[in-house]
Amino acid sequence: LFVIVVILFQAEIRRALAQIGSNPFFSDVSAVQETYVIEEVVQAAGELSKLRMGALIVIERDADLTEHLGEVGVDLDAKVTKELLVTLFVPESANHMHDGAVIIRNLRIHQAGAVLPLSANTKLDKQLGTRHRAAIGVTEETDAVVVVVSEERASVSLCFNGNIARDLDAATLRKALLGLFLKKKPKPKGQAPGRAGGAKD
């Protein structure tokens, strides 16, 4: 029966294994790296909020965002750091990437200056500007998670599954991101508890 199941569903099994292996956010081995990236994003969002600099930080999950981008950004392939994230959103005329989104893929900054699709949801709050509608739009079409910083309100929001959670402090944003990306490791059987084994907002 097991062999029959494997044969019948080999394509699905292969795709699932490929996703687990290719996306570090779903690998227990990279839990430390995931936590580091999330912390850098949280710290960057806090700093950008204090500086009143708008930002869109997109964290890719299973779905490849390439086909969903209105305009592909500048390829970077750089380590995720608070300092680099803040720099990419500095609103200077020489920095053509600050109005777009940063795409984080496989725990690396994949692109900056990317353009996201706007949500067509007519029920959204009319006070939401282009930046927030873009964040919601890409999460309606993919499983990506987006951190949004408003330059007008100096606030931080989180978008996922077409929804938005607004006015988050660092602790709440951190908890939400960890909950979305980090899976709890199951305890081995028999182990005793407690023992280790330019856009508008």
Side-chain angles (χ1 to χ4, degrees), residues 3-15:
V3 174
I4 293 174
V5 170
V6 171
I7 293 175
L8 290 176
F9 298 99
Q10 59 182 327
E12 289 78 5
I13 293 172
R14 185 165 57 251
R15 280 197 297 271

Side-chain angles (χ1 to χ4, degrees), residues 58 185 191:
V58 184
K185 297 181 180 180
Q191 179 177 308

Side-chain angles (χ1 to χ4, degrees), residues 67-82:
E67 62 183 67
H68 298 281
L69 301 178
E71 182 178 330
V72 177
V74 178
D75 290 334
L76 293 180
D77 188 25
K79 181 180 179 179
V80 178
T81 66
K82 165 191 166 184

Side-chain angles (χ1 to χ4, degrees), residues 5 18 25 27 42 44-45 53-54 62 71 81 88 107 137-138 153-154 156 167 177 179:
V5 170
F25 277 110
S27 170
V42 171
M53 297 197 309
D62 281 343
E71 182 178 330
T81 66
L88 290 172
L107 303 176
V138 75
R153 301 177 66 243
V156 178
D167 300 321
L177 289 173

Side-chain angles (χ1 to χ4, degrees), residues 38-39 42-43 46 156 167-179:
I38 288 172
E39 186 60 31
V42 171
Q43 293 297 323
V156 178
D167 300 321
L168 305 181
D169 58 22
T172 306
L173 177 62
R174 181 182 298 108
K175 183 177 180 180
L177 289 173
L178 289 173

